[in-house]
Each structure stands twice: as structure tokens, then as C-alpha cells.
Amino acid sequence: MNPQPTSTPPDIIRAAYAELIVTDLAESRAFYVGVLGLVVTYEDDEAIYLRAFEEYLHHSLVLRLGPVAALAALAYRVRSQDEVAVAADYYRELGARVEPRPAGATRGVGEAVRVEDPLGFPVEFFYDSEHVERFTRRYDVHGAGAISRLDHFNVMTPDVEAARAYHEGLGFTVSEDIQDAEGTTYAAWMYRKPTVHDVALTGGDGPRLHHIAFATHEQHQILHICDHLGALRQSDKIERGPGRHGVSNAFYLYLRDPDGHRIEIYTQDYYTGDPDNPTLTWDVHDNQRRDWWGNPVVPSWYSEASAVLDLDGVVRPLVARTEPAEAAVTIGADGFSYTREGEPIPEYKLGHQL
Ligand SMILES: O=S(=O)(O)c1ccc(O)c(O)c1
Ligand SMILES: [Fe+2]
């Protein structure tokens, strides 16, 4: 790959939709529509096109039936239809595989381009998309757990510094990251829209999809989703949280869908739209970085993630991370290490896991 293209990168507005391969449409529909309350824009035997209540584009999530649960595409909206050709030229100069897509290749999306990016992810750039009813004020159909919009993608990749440079080349800016005293970067959050991130880079064997996140307006909507899953006796779909993130300051919940895809429900991060928005760097030993209240991060959150397809629909082989793994450098499961200058790290603290 050519790491430093000279052509102009596409003008990316935001993370806009994801296409996930699921192995049972009915089971997935029960989760994404029945529990999360996403709105069905269109469905057939092969796919379900979903949107959240404030969204007027055709979809922000496509669930496509397939034999292996995986990520089929992460899609970014660009600022105009002309930017789709800019994206194609930029990735051709990068030496990436580039596949133009005619209007309707994805239902509800106009002429677009899909690429295999330098990190191994299938990424689409589009502008034209069918407008559908925006349910912002349709309180008659919002559930108590109403989800407003798609917020971000989180991808697992072995070399976070290289992934950061690639996204900086696309015009993304780092809002927060996690480093150690030796300068190893464990994770970084990067934005185009004026919030904490459109994409987060998580150090680990990759390419894998760590999660996609939807935003609600209020914490009580997140709490209702937890209560709803409890009432269905599906508490096993709750992987981590609810809690308050250190990074981003958002209130969060992580769920696992019927195929194990991780979905975050997220609310109340902060504005990053001024040109001098400061980058916040966390120490990897700070046990409040991932949960502001110091609650432990379940090991599966660090180790498990969704497979990723290439543009032929074949699962991509993983590249192992060679730099230290975050879960390995914090004491035990997170929450039991703290960083206070000069203080000896205790053998264990209250609540030590056996
Ligand atoms: O767990 S972290 O506080 O690092 C975090 C912050 C923001 C996110 O969107 C996330 O998934 C995880
Ligand atoms: Fe997230």
C-alpha cells in the first residue's frame, strides 16, 4: 500500500451505516426490532434494513442473512455525490482494491464505492440515499428505550499507531487515546462529526469489528433496554455495563446480538467541533479510563469481536497484534488496578476476582 497518497481524501461527514451478516434473520429481528426498537425501512427473506428514530436516510444498519456472522461493510457518508469518485481515486492511489457500486447495489443507497482499506476492512463511501419518514416526534412508536441514531464504529486492528495515521490521512482527528509511559498506544477515538468519535481503534488481532454503537438521548432509555432484556430473561445479552465511560464520558451499555455481534448503546458524550479541540490521553494503568467508576471490564470485551469479510465475502485472516495487549498490562480484570503516582500497586483490592 502507498502510505502517503498525494490525492485529496474524500470529505467524510460521519459513520453512516453498517452491514452485518447474521445467521438467523428472525432471531436478529427479535433483538434489533423487538428489543432495541429500531424501525424497519424494508425487509425480505434475505435482509432487513433498519434505522433509528432521528434518521431519515433509508437505513443505518443492514442485517443480511448469511452462513457466517461477520461484518460486510462499514459505510461513511461523504459530503456530496462527487466525493464518491474522490474516494475511489484516493483508494486507487493507496493501492487498495476498489469496487464501484451502481445505484441500488444496496437497497436505498445511490452510486457508491466499496474498498478494502489498508487495515483490511470493507468500507463504503456514499452520498445519495433514499429519504424516508423521520420518526423524531413519533412518540406514538418510540419505545421507552428509543434509540436516536447510529453514532460510531469500533474496529480491532493490530497496529493502532498505523491505523491512527491512516485515519488522519482521511481527515479524522483524535479526541482521546490510551497510551503507556513507553508511548505504546492501546486505543484511539477519532472523529469527523463534532462528537468524540466516528471510529475507534482498539488494539488487538484484526481486522475484526469490535462494535457498532447507537446513541440515545437519555440514560433512562439505556436502563429500559436492560430492564426489557431482564423481563425477557435474556440478561445474557448484556455483556458490559451499564456504566459511565472514562474515555468519552458517555453513559454506556454493551450488548451481544444473537450472533455475538457487539452493539453499544451510548449517550451524552461531548462536542469536539472547534479546530483546537484538545486531545485527552489516558494512562493504560488508570482503572477509570474505561469505566469512570472503576468497574471491571469483562475479559470477553477485550478478547471477542466479529470476523470481517473481504469484498468477495470471504472471512479475512487475522494479523496478530505484536505490541502489548491492554488486558495483559492491567492487573487482573480491569478495575483492580489503579494509577496513583508513587503508590505501590496492591496485591489486590476489594472485590478481587478468584
Ligand atoms: O471503554 S472506554 O471508556 O474506553 C470507551 C469509550 C467510548 C466508547 O465508544 C467505547 O466503546 C469505549
Ligand atoms: Fe463505543
Side-chain angles (χ1 to χ4, degrees):
M1 288 277 187
N2 166 11
Q4 294 300 334
T6 55
S7 58
T8 308
D11 182 354
I12 295 168
I13 302 175
R14 64 182 173 89
Y17 81 85
E19 180 176 336
L20 295 179
I21 305 300
V22 297
T23 58
D24 183 322
L25 273 184
E27 270 200 26
S28 296
R29 192 186 200 283
F31 175 76
Y32 287 95
V33 180
V35 177
L36 298 189
L38 293 176
V39 177
V40 177
T41 304
Y42 177 84
E43 62 185 322
D44 58 26
D45 294 344
E46 293 173 7
I48 306 176
Y49 299 78
L50 298 168
R51 69 185 193 275
F53 287 110
E54 284 182 2
E55 295 172 331
Y56 61 84
L57 296 188
H58 187 269
H59 55 262
S60 57
L61 179 62
V62 179
L63 304 175
R64 187 170 306 285
L65 183 61
V68 176
L71 169 71
L74 294 175
Y76 290 96
R77 196 175 196 203
V78 291
R79 201 163 301 278
S80 71
Q81 192 58 29
D82 292 344
E83 290 296 324
V84 172
V86 172
D89 292 343
Y90 183 81
Y91 279 87
R92 284 191 190 99
E93 192 188 351
L94 271 177
R97 180 175 171 186
V98 173
E99 294 216 338
R101 288 172 67 86
T106 297
R107 178 180 289 271
V109 177
E111 204 173 309
V113 64
R114 277 192 186 178
V115 303
E116 290 176 357
D117 82 2
L119 309 182
F121 288 89
V123 180
E124 176 174 302
F125 298 94
F126 78 97
Y127 175 76
D128 283 345
S129 178
E130 182 185 338
H131 285 207
V132 294
E133 183 180 359
R134 193 178 213 174
F135 277 25
T136 304
R137 296 166 193 79
R138 288 294 307 276
Y139 294 102
D140 55 318
V141 296
H142 288 193
I147 290 174
S148 307
R149 57 179 175 79
L150 176 84
D151 186 75
H152 63 265
F153 307 135
N154 185 310
V155 297
M156 281 191 107
T157 186
D159 184 343
V160 175
E161 284 91 349
R164 171 186 178 148
Y166 157 60
H167 283 90
E168 284 174 339
L170 283 171
F172 285 78
T173 306
V174 174
S175 54
E176 301 194 31
D177 64 8
I178 296 176
Q179 296 185 29
D180 66 14
E182 291 69 44
T184 297
T185 302
Y186 293 85
W189 286 257
M190 302 185 78
Y191 61 92
R192 286 290 296 171
K193 71 180 181 303
T195 64
V196 169
H197 55 320
D198 291 281
V199 66
L201 312 172
T202 301
D205 298 353
R208 287 187 289 166
L209 172 70
H210 189 272
H211 64 267
I212 61 175
F214 288 93
T216 63
H217 280 291
E218 306 287 348
Q219 294 174 14
H220 64 72
Q221 286 151 336
I222 291 178
L223 297 175
H224 176 80
I225 291 170
C226 295
D227 286 338
H228 188 161
L229 285 168
L232 297 177
R233 287 292 175 176
Q234 294 182 21
S235 58
D236 55 315
K237 289 195 165 56
I238 299 173
E239 180 191 42
R240 178 183 165 207
R244 167 77 65 192
H245 280 317
V247 172
S248 81
N249 193 44
F251 190 80
Y252 72 88
L253 170 69
Y254 289 96
L255 305 175
R256 304 295 291 273
D257 86 350
D259 283 291
H261 294 305
R262 185 178 289 107
I263 303 296
E264 181 181 18
I265 316 296
Y266 172 97
T267 190
Q268 296 157 15
D269 64 350
Y270 57 86
Y271 169 76
T272 60
D274 287 15
D276 58 351
N277 185 76
T279 298
L280 175 59
T281 292
W282 294 77
D283 182 307
V284 72
H285 294 286
D286 185 337
N287 76 313
Q288 296 183 212
R289 71 193 184 287
R290 291 207 175 270
D291 184 285
W292 188 238
W293 307 329
N295 284 324
V297 175
V298 291
S300 61
W301 192 89
Y302 281 121
S303 59
E304 297 176 11
S306 298
V308 159
L309 302 181
D310 65 16
L311 294 185
D312 296 320
V314 176
V315 171
R316 296 206 68 123
L318 297 187
V319 175
R321 176 170 169 87
T322 54
E323 292 180 293
E326 184 173 344
V329 301
T330 57
I331 295 180
D334 258 0
F336 302 142
S337 64
Y338 12 61
T339 299
R340 293 189 189 95
E341 280 301 319
E343 192 169 293
I345 291 182
E347 184 185 340
Y348 67 83
K349 76 171 194 175
L350 187 65
H352 185 73
Q353 288 180 328
L354 297 177

